[in-house]
Amino acid sequence: MAGVTLRGVKKRYPGGFEAIKGIDLDVPDGDLCVFVGPSGCGKSTLLRIVAGLETASEGTVAIGGRDVGALGPAERDVAMVFQNYALYPHMSVFDNMAYGLRNRGAARPEIEARVAEAAAMLDLSALLARKPRELSGGQRQRVAMGRAIVRKPALFLFDEPLSNLDAKLRARMRVEIRALQRRLGTTAIHVTHDQLEAMTMADTLVVLNAGRVEQVGKPADVYARPANRFVAGFLGSPEMNFLDGEAGPDGRIDFGALGSLSAGAGARAPVSRKVVAGIRPENLAPAEGDGPDRLSLTVDFVEELGAARLVYASREGRRVVVHTAAHGGWAPGAPLALTAAAGDVRLFDPQGGAALG
Amino acid sequence: MPPRANLRAIALHAALILGAAALAVPIWLAFVAATRASADFVAGDVGWLPGPHGFANFWTVLAAGDSADGLPPAWPMLLTTLVVALLIALGKIAVSLPAAFAVTYFRFPFRSLAFWTIFLTLMLPVEVRIVPTFQVVADLGLLNSWAGLSLPLIASATATFLFRQTFMSVPDELTEAARIDAAGPLRFFFDVLLPLSRTNVAALFVILFIYGWNQYLWPLMVTTEPRFYTIVVGIQRLALAADEGTAVWHYVMATAILALVPPVAVVVGMRKLFVRGLVETEK
Ligand SMILES: Nc1ncnc2c1ncn2[C@@H]1O[C@H](COP(=O)(O)OP(=O)(O)OP(=O)(O)O)[C@@H](O)[C@H]1O
Ligand SMILES: [Mg+2]
């Protein structure tokens, strides 16, 4: 078991493209760390650098306090699950799981015991004689997990292992992987571009963008206090509403024709300044009475989700989404007044997007 | 079925039947000729239906021989040809698999030079380089030997290319999974690459076996001893004799039919793997 430490890691691909632009990161022992970010941000590259499948152009990687820069993937004591599972198509499920142990010279009884144990954990015991092509997608996924856990490695590396599954199965496997990792207590790095998967699974969330770390933290903290506009927009679905406004000395944000809202103490500016206000859809609610904190809009359309609904409203081309459990007169074309608590209005610098206050 | 689709099916089938017939008729005629007596050829009356001498002719050609016409039995020649064809086919596969492995998976100095050198030999089949190759084989003292018969035909750019193509279609993730599973290059080759290329190896074996079986010019040049005569050389010698008077065309045809049997058997026996090896792209 081991933590992972990255220091000043950079990766330039042949051809000059810099996929990783300098990353420092500490993943504590036993942690489930999730790398999340949009497609092409370098998640896989970073994971493969940790695995030893790719070499860092600069910087150091340590696993369990040991610098692994000079070691190949087999010597790093890591196990990886690939997006397409990369099962050996000609080997049975048993052989797929046993191959790494065999190559490491494990004795036959030990191999059988370990495979049986992993198969029982993953509900694969009845499938050991099958070939991968005779399995469903979810079963293949579990075999790939099995191949990783039989080895009892110091570190699990998961590269989007759930992205080929349908939504229901993905939700179930999310929970199973989470539980399995807890039970084994093995440090794991899980890569995904799915923010929901990232939020639900992570002990530590690492938001990546364009080869850089945007923010590291517990999922709830990162969600509640995004460090910048990118993180704020990336986490949460539907996306946070962003509205251009002007912050005055009284701590109110003026949105022009839409109205105004009061924001937290951090919003108070000695002189008026332009800001971008971010409000999550679930933090917007219909305004009661006629207080000053209100946005006046018109309902465009409503998306019914069953337990809740998304109300899209706009005014003068500026659109907001409200996520609400309330049923009510959301008729398209009807006027709508919305409000939000001061603490739920996050402010960002219009230049650069850093969080203010 | 709508009439248009009907017409289409009829036209397709007609084309297929015609094609099959065009290929089968000469073989049928050879078979008919192989069942006739010498006199039928002198009379110029062979016809379309088998004669009564089939068993006798095939027995004579295969096992007994016919000393009156200077005809040796064919089975030793068939055996020789089988050995040569197997040596060539297996030799080519044994050489080109590691060659393809090297140029696909390893970054060594002059890799592209090695690659293009292999590529160049594509333009140098044995017929083109026959004089210098003969010289080399003679200098090495390999005339009238199994090595002399097969070695110069074994180096194979075609097979190397095919295997390179096959290997490149193996997903990178599989290579990476094997690296994480602590499989070194040799383990990876034997445990992963080779089993995955099974159908391609089979398809290539069929093609190369037939290539080896049909070799004519090279065996004719490097062997003078009858025990190294291949069946194609044997047919040629028989045909020569037939031309010179004794009308043994029934024996020539019987030998030709016999020479057809092993390659056909190989194709039929490996048909399934062969077709899969040619059409399968997914790994
Ligand atoms: N072998 C390579 N050579 C050059 N550039 C590469 C190579 N592999 C990846 N890249 C580039 O590096 C960047 C990061 O790639 P990476 O595969 O790490 O993205 P990712 O975050 O995993 O994306 P996805 O979610 O789509 O898998 C991309 O812009 C990609 O084009
Ligand atoms: Mg990726």
Side-chain angles (χ1 to χ4, degrees):
Chain A
M1 255 158 264
V4 178
T5 310
L6 305 181
R7 286 288 170 267
V9 171
K10 291 189 183 182
K11 175 69 188 179
R12 258 181 308 279
Y13 276 113
F17 179 74
E18 197 170 49
I20 302 292
K21 299 182 175 123
I23 284 187
D24 298 289
L25 187 66
D26 291 285
V27 181
D29 186 13
D31 200 77
L32 200 164
C33 172
V34 175
F35 292 175
V36 67
S39 184
C41 69
K43 307 180 292 289
S44 296
T45 303
L46 194 57
L47 193 74
R48 293 161 52 80
I49 289 174
V50 176
L53 295 170
E54 220 55 89
T55 48
S57 314
E58 278 175 44
T60 59
V61 179
I63 300 175
R66 174 175 68 138
D67 187 335
V68 293
L71 302 181
E75 301 148 339
R76 293 190 179 192
D77 201 13
V78 301
M80 187 151 167
V81 175
F82 295 86
Q83 179 169 0
N84 56 11
Y85 315 140
L87 301 176
Y88 308 115
H90 57 293
M91 293 187 197
S92 67
V93 169
F94 179 92
D95 288 333
N96 263 285
M97 296 212 258
Y99 191 56
L101 291 172
R102 243 175 233 157
N103 289 338
R104 287 178 169 81
R108 177 106 202 147
E110 194 197 343
I111 293 178
E112 279 173 1
R114 288 230 217 155
V115 172
E117 185 191 0
M121 242 187 264
L122 292 162
D123 210 2
L124 288 170
S125 304
L127 307 176
L128 287 176
R130 297 231 195 134
K131 295 274 170 64
R133 68 166 172 280
E134 299 159 346
L135 300 175
S136 73
Q139 289 166 339
R140 281 180 217 182
Q141 205 282 332
R142 291 214 296 277
V143 176
M145 293 296 300
R147 185 166 67 178
I149 66 177
V150 283
R151 292 243 327 274
K152 304 196 170 151
L155 177 64
F156 288 134
L157 302 171
F158 302 142
D159 192 356
E160 309 213 19
L162 305 182
S163 59
N164 284 340
L165 304 178
D166 67 62
K168 257 211 174 103
L169 198 53
R170 205 179 316 154
R172 206 181 86 203
M173 286 311 293
R174 225 158 53 201
V175 178
E176 280 188 25
I177 293 179
R178 180 69 268 214
L180 193 66
Q181 191 271 343
R182 281 254 161 82
R183 177 140 48 116
L184 298 170
T186 308
T187 316
I189 301 179
H190 180 106
V191 161
T192 179
H193 61 255
D194 179 346
Q195 53 90 23
L196 181 65
E197 191 177 312
M199 291 290 299
T200 51
M201 291 180 74
D203 292 318
T204 308
L205 190 62
V206 178
V207 184
L208 292 172
N209 183 31
R212 278 185 227 285
V213 172
E214 295 283 355
Q215 193 170 0
V216 181
K218 289 198 179 11
D221 294 346
V222 177
Y223 187 80
R225 282 179 292 284
N228 54 48
R229 187 175 163 169
F230 173 82
V231 176
F234 189 78
L235 296 179
S237 174
E239 197 181 320
M240 185 182 248
N241 296 296
F242 293 108
L243 292 170
D244 292 329
E246 204 155 321
D250 55 352
R252 296 192 66 76
I253 317 296
D254 180 12
F255 298 108
L258 262 60
S260 68
L261 293 171
S262 62
R268 222 157 278 159
V271 288
S272 290
R273 59 168 299 186
K274 287 198 182 315
V275 295
V276 175
I279 312 156
R280 295 217 177 264
E282 66 272 23
N283 292 336
L284 281 168
E288 310 285 343
D290 50 11
D293 292 339
R294 63 163 60 220
L295 299 174
S296 309
L297 305 115
T298 311
V299 175
D300 288 334
F301 57 93
V302 181
E303 266 180 2
E304 185 61 46
L305 302 180
R309 45 220 50 79
L310 301 176
V311 181
Y312 292 79
S314 66
R315 177 151 187 177
E316 295 181 355
R318 298 160 81 182
R319 162 166 289 180
V320 300
V321 185
V322 186
H323 182 268
T324 173
H327 296 268
W330 312 114
L336 178 66
L338 295 170
T339 187
D344 291 333
V345 180
R346 323 261 358 142
L347 299 181
F348 302 98
D349 189 341
Q351 272 94 44
L356 302 170
Chain B
M1 202 189 285
R4 267 191 65 100
N6 226 336
L7 255 168
R8 215 179 107 84
I10 291 171
L12 267 174
H13 277 85
L16 288 174
I17 290 167
L18 262 166
L23 288 174
V25 163
I27 297 173
W28 175 250
L29 287 182
F31 177 72
V32 168
T35 60
R36 295 279 168 158
S38 181
D40 293 340
F41 293 92
V42 179
D45 171 29
V46 178
W48 283 88
L49 294 174
H53 305 290
F55 283 109
N57 286 351
F58 277 109
W59 179 252
T60 308
V61 167
L62 185 65
D66 182 353
S67 43
D69 296 314
L71 171 77
W75 72 263
M77 293 193 280
L78 285 171
L79 210 62
T80 304
T81 318
L82 184 70
V83 172
V84 170
L86 282 177
L87 278 176
I88 291 174
L90 296 177
K92 270 179 186 282
I93 288 172
V95 168
S96 36
L97 273 173
F101 185 46
V103 295
T104 315
Y105 283 95
F106 292 88
R107 265 155 217 57
F108 52 90
F110 306 115
R111 179 165 81 135
S112 54
L113 183 70
F115 182 70
W116 288 108
T117 311
I118 296 173
F119 188 81
L120 269 182
T121 63
L122 212 54
M123 292 160 211
L124 298 170
V126 76
E127 286 78 6
V128 175
R129 55 184 161 91
I130 201 152
V131 174
T133 304
F134 183 84
Q135 184 76 48
V136 171
V137 169
D139 287 350
L140 291 173
L142 294 178
L143 297 179
N144 282 316
S145 73
W146 296 112
L149 263 174
S150 51
L151 265 184
L153 300 173
I154 278 179
S156 178
T158 326
T160 308
F161 271 101
L162 269 166
F163 285 134
R164 179 171 169 268
Q165 236 29 58
T166 307
F167 293 168
M168 289 196 322
S169 75
V170 172
D172 288 344
E173 282 87 358
L174 226 48
T175 315
E176 293 171 350
R179 283 177 70 194
I180 291 181
D181 270 343
L186 280 183
R187 279 230 176 97
F188 173 66
F189 180 72
F190 284 109
D191 292 348
V192 179
L193 225 40
L194 213 49
L196 287 181
S197 313
R198 200 174 60 107
T199 53
N200 304 75
V201 170
L204 212 61
F205 174 81
V206 171
I207 292 168
L208 296 177
F209 181 85
I210 292 168
Y211 165 86
W213 186 270
N214 287 338
Q215 282 304 312
Y216 168 61
L217 195 55
W218 181 250
L220 192 65
M221 296 232 359
V222 289
T223 59
T224 49
E225 290 175 19
R227 72 189 172 100
F228 286 119
Y229 285 163
T230 61
I231 193 73
V232 185
V233 172
I235 293 174
Q236 182 262 349
R237 294 172 61 85
L238 256 183
L240 227 61
D243 249 3
E244 279 165 6
T246 37
V248 289
W249 287 109
H250 51 311
Y251 291 154
V252 175
M253 290 307 165
T255 316
I257 294 289
L258 281 179
L260 215 70
V261 172
V264 170
V266 165
V267 171
V268 171
M270 301 186 75
R271 188 182 61 224
K272 260 197 176 146
L273 278 178
F274 176 69
V275 172
R276 255 172 46 201
L278 290 187
V279 301
E280 201 174 60
T281 49
E282 201 183 348
K283 276 274 125 47

